[in-house]
């Protein structure tokens, strides 16, 4: 008595466990897959367009928001906070000379996180994006190398340092084109 | 065991036509990828004016890719159904008695 073997599902044929049972995909199947990719890319462009059509969220409230105490951050360090809402990361930097600066952490190229890089023997203090090896000027937030060089500067967070604490007091966005 | 009819397009140039369709669709995907990255860069830079043209271009690429794939599918299906049709027996052909089917 031989039992009927269940049919092999299509996904199992396409992604077999053993390499010996793998086979080459036909050009026709590959073209169908590319059509799926094409649709995904089109939807991606459409989603960005749809996002741009939504009304912008409210700007930061003028009331100061305390980020940290001065004593909590030694020179040459940085921290990440959320400002002006709970979704937007900003980078608070204390430069090696003691000055406080803050920028939005999203790279203006493809929104990768930007990190603070202290000065070493060869380079000055700067902000770096490791996704595509971009770098930003720490004083101005403008891109100085990599893809961000031709793009807008980072969004700057205005700070107020008083009574031994650091407060965020608003955003300094670049005007839209 | 008799050999079955071909299940793929055997007309001259059919393979080249499929390869050409595939190359064009792949090129369209590359263009769409470039459009998507440019759109994202423009969005982050606040340049909202180019988002709609970029989306329309991506949509046009997608529709073109759909057209190419559908025409390829239709051509392949028509040919497969033609080739799977039972061939008609030859007429007026002399078959020696030793090769004839027994009555």
């Amino acid at each position: 008595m031989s039992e009927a073997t269940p049919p092999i599902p299509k996904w199992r044929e396409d992604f077999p466990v053993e390499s010996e049972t793998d086979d080459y995909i036909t050009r026709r199947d590959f073209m169908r897959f590319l059509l799926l990719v094409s649709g995904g890319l089109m939807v991606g462009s459409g989603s960005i367009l749809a996002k741009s059509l939504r009304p912008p969220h409210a700007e930061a409230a003028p009331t100061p928001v305390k980020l940290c105490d001065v004593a909590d951050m030694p020179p040459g360090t940085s921290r990440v906070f959320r400002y002006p809402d709970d979704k937007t990361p900003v980078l608070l930097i204390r430069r090696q000379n003691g000055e406080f600066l803050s920028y939005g952490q999203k790279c203006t190229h493809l929104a990768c996180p930007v990190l603070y890089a202290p000065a070493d023997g060869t380079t000055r203090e700067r902000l770096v994006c490791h996704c595509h090896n971009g770098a930003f000027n720490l004083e101005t937030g403008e891109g100085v190398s990599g893809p961000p060089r031709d793009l807008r500067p980072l969004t700057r967070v205005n700070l107020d340092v008083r009574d031994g604490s650091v407060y965020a007091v608003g955003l300094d966005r670049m005007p839209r084109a | 065991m008799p050999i079955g009819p071909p299940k793929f397009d055997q007309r001259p140039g059919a393979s080249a036509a499929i390869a050409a369709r595939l190359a064009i669709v792949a090129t369209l995907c590359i263009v769409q990828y470039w459009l998507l990255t440019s759109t994202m860069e423009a969005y982050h830079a606040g340049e909202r004016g180019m988002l709609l043209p970029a989306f329309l271009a991506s949509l046009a690429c997608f529709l073109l890719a759909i057209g190419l794939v559908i025409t390829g599918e239709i051509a392949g299906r028509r040919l497969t159904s033609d080739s799977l049709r039972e061939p008609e027996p030859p007429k007026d052909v002399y078959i020696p008695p030793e090769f004839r089917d027994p009555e």
Side-chain angles (χ1 to χ4, degrees), chain A residues 42-176:
Chain A
M42 187 267 296
V43 169
S45 293
S47 64
I48 294 174
L49 174 66
K51 197 174 177 184
S52 73
L53 295 178
R54 288 190 308 185
H57 57 76
E59 292 293 324
T63 55
V65 176
K66 182 180 176 181
L67 300 180
C68 70
D69 291 328
V70 174
D72 292 340
M73 287 189 66
T77 59
S78 65
R79 285 187 181 184
V80 178
F81 293 92
R82 306 282 172 182
Y83 183 81
D85 51 40
D86 291 338
K87 295 180 181 176
T88 308
V90 297
L91 195 63
L92 177 65
I93 304 145
R94 187 168 191 189
R95 300 184 65 181
Q96 288 166 321
N97 63 6
E99 180 190 3
F100 280 94
L101 289 172
S102 185
Y103 292 101
Q105 205 194 9
K106 287 184 179 178
C107 178
T108 50
H109 178 218
L110 291 176
C112 289
V114 171
L115 300 176
Y116 168 63
D120 55 25
T122 55
T123 57
R124 301 170 56 191
E125 285 178 296
R126 57 191 186 143
L127 296 165
V128 293
C129 176
H130 293 289
C131 283
H132 300 95
N133 208 19
F136 295 86
N137 186 317
L138 195 59
E139 285 86 5
T140 62
E142 293 177 344
V144 291
S145 72
R149 190 176 46 195
D150 302 325
L151 301 174
R152 66 176 173 132
L154 291 171
T155 301
R156 184 163 186 153
V157 180
N158 296 322
L159 297 177
D160 185 15
V161 182
R162 57 183 157 84
D163 302 331
S165 298
V166 183
Y167 296 87
V169 293
L171 296 176
D172 190 8
R173 295 179 189 275
M174 286 293 294
R176 288 176 182 165

Side-chain angles (χ1 to χ4, degrees), chain B:
Chain B
M1 188 175 175
I3 300 173
K7 291 183 179 177
F8 50 87
D9 201 336
Q10 288 191 322
R11 288 178 297 183
S15 179
I18 293 175
R21 281 196 187 93
L22 178 60
I24 294 171
V25 173
T27 307
L28 289 172
C29 281
I30 293 169
V31 170
Q32 281 185 290
Y33 179 71
W34 174 77
L35 282 170
L36 179 63
T37 54
S38 301
T39 302
M40 190 172 283
E41 284 189 11
Y43 174 72
H44 287 301
E47 296 171 7
R48 309 299 166 98
M50 68 157 288
L51 299 185
L52 181 61
F55 169 69
L56 292 178
S58 186
L59 179 65
C61 290
F62 178 59
L63 294 177
L64 191 55
I66 283 185
L68 285 168
V69 171
I70 287 178
T71 52
E73 295 284 333
I74 291 172
R77 193 166 298 163
R78 187 170 55 227
L79 188 97
T80 304
S81 60
D82 289 347
S83 60
L84 286 175
R85 193 174 299 148
E86 196 67 30
E88 294 182 2
K91 297 174 182 175
D92 302 331
V93 176
Y94 174 75
I95 302 175
E98 60 269 26
F99 293 109
R100 292 177 186 168
D101 292 332
E103 294 290 335

